[in-house]
Amino acid sequence: MELTKIHEKSMINVNSLVKDFGNHRVINGIDATVSPGEVVVLIGASGSGKSTFLRCLNGLEALTSGEILIDSVPLERNSKNLKQIRRQVGMVFQQFNLFPHLTVLENIIEAPVHVLNRPKSHAIKDAQELLSKVGLFDKQNCYPGTLSGGQGQRVAIARALAMHPKIMLFDEPTSALDPELVGEVLTVMKQLAEDGMTMVVVTHEMGFAKEVADRVIFIDEGRIVEEGSPTQIFGNPQETRTQTFLGRLSH
């Protein structure tokens, strides 16, 4: 897929983003945009700042300086905007963080009922449709402890989708899974991309990036070193650091 979706207004705008932890600068002046319906995949070595950047996008990390706009609304901690933005930005982590004492169905309806005040009957119907979408309708009355890792992560995706977000963020959603379970999670993510969900994905799954991304961004030492279509980044990277990173992966 080549870059085709940059003409509409941006769903995410990042301007001069800096994030420090004490004296350590983790994000060092990132500028980025994500268009509606675009799938952007972030690649880079561990510790390069990818996950911190993602956590900044939904207010989990306070910005040291710079600005983030989500659907034209400034993301500011301790503001009325933050709650609104968090509802519009779903996030899936490496660990599924499901409530162990609640069934799969109860995990999914928890936020729609208690945060969005949706009628329970509506939330249940919606949750069942989402479980069908991720191939787990028959697990709705199971507890998280009985699920495989891949099933748990698919439930976590359904739970995030239950808030009807405009944007989905994925922070290495398959890195904690056994290799044979990775495919079932990536299949759900591919379907979301085909459905037109705006997605920002941190992953080490380069096959997924090649197949699904509209744009790939290589981050190193808290900076964007290179970005472009998957064909360009994987087939003809321009920057030495990108070439070195991808070269290491192929050995």
Side-chain angles (χ1 to χ4, degrees), residues 85-127:
I85 286 172
R86 284 237 177 102
R87 292 177 185 181
Q88 296 175 353
V89 182
M91 187 153 182
V92 177
F93 302 87
Q94 293 180 33
Q95 307 298 334
F96 335 128
N97 303 323
L98 299 174
F99 295 115
H101 62 290
L102 300 181
T103 65
V104 164
L105 186 70
E106 288 166 343
N107 263 281
I108 295 172
I109 68 171
E110 178 77 8
V113 170
H114 293 105
V115 177
L116 300 183
N117 298 315
R118 291 205 175 121
K120 191 171 181 181
S121 58
H122 292 191
I124 288 172
K125 183 171 181 289
D126 197 26

Side-chain angles (χ1 to χ4, degrees), residues 52-198:
T52 300
F53 175 61
L54 211 62
R55 290 170 66 84
C56 287
L57 291 181
N58 75 342
L60 285 175
E61 297 290 353
L63 316 185
T64 300
S65 63
E67 168 184 66
I68 295 174
L69 302 174
I70 303 292
D71 199 15
S72 302
V73 178
L75 192 163
E76 297 163 341
R77 282 172 72 90
N78 307 318
S79 75
K80 287 183 286 187
N81 293 347
L82 185 59
K83 265 190 182 175
Q84 180 62 28
I85 286 172
R86 284 237 177 102
R87 292 177 185 181
Q88 296 175 353
V89 182
M91 187 153 182
V92 177
F93 302 87
Q94 293 180 33
Q95 307 298 334
F96 335 128
N97 303 323
L98 299 174
F99 295 115
H101 62 290
L102 300 181
T103 65
V104 164
L105 186 70
E106 288 166 343
N107 263 281
I108 295 172
I109 68 171
E110 178 77 8
V113 170
H114 293 105
V115 177
L116 300 183
N117 298 315
R118 291 205 175 121
K120 191 171 181 181
S121 58
H122 292 191
I124 288 172
K125 183 171 181 289
D126 197 26
Q128 289 172 332
E129 288 174 2
L130 288 168
L131 283 169
S132 294
K133 187 183 184 78
V134 301
L136 291 173
F137 182 81
D138 60 332
K139 298 290 185 183
Q140 60 183 295
N141 295 315
C142 295
Y143 286 89
T146 68
L147 304 177
S148 71
Q151 290 169 336
Q153 194 59 290
R154 285 187 280 155
V155 172
I157 292 172
R159 181 179 60 179
L161 291 172
M163 297 292 282
H164 295 279
K166 294 180 179 179
I167 300 163
M168 284 287 285
L169 308 178
F170 293 88
D171 187 8
E172 300 192 29
T174 60
S175 66
L177 302 180
D178 293 332
E180 66 270 19
L181 302 176
V182 168
E184 62 189 62
V185 174
L186 294 181
T187 297
V188 171
M189 293 170 65
K190 287 173 192 171
Q191 183 61 55
L192 280 180
E194 288 169 13
D195 291 346
M197 175 63 75
T198 306

Side-chain angles (χ1 to χ4, degrees), residues 2 6 64 116 157 161 210 224 234 245:
E2 297 298 325
I6 308 303
T64 300
L116 300 183
I157 292 172
L161 291 172
K210 290 173 186 173
I224 292 178
F234 294 111
F245 171 74

Side-chain angles (χ1 to χ4, degrees), residues 31-51:
D31 295 295
T33 60
V34 179
S35 296
E38 191 179 18
V39 179
V40 175
V41 172
L42 309 179
I43 64 171
S46 296
S48 59
K50 309 181 302 297
S51 292

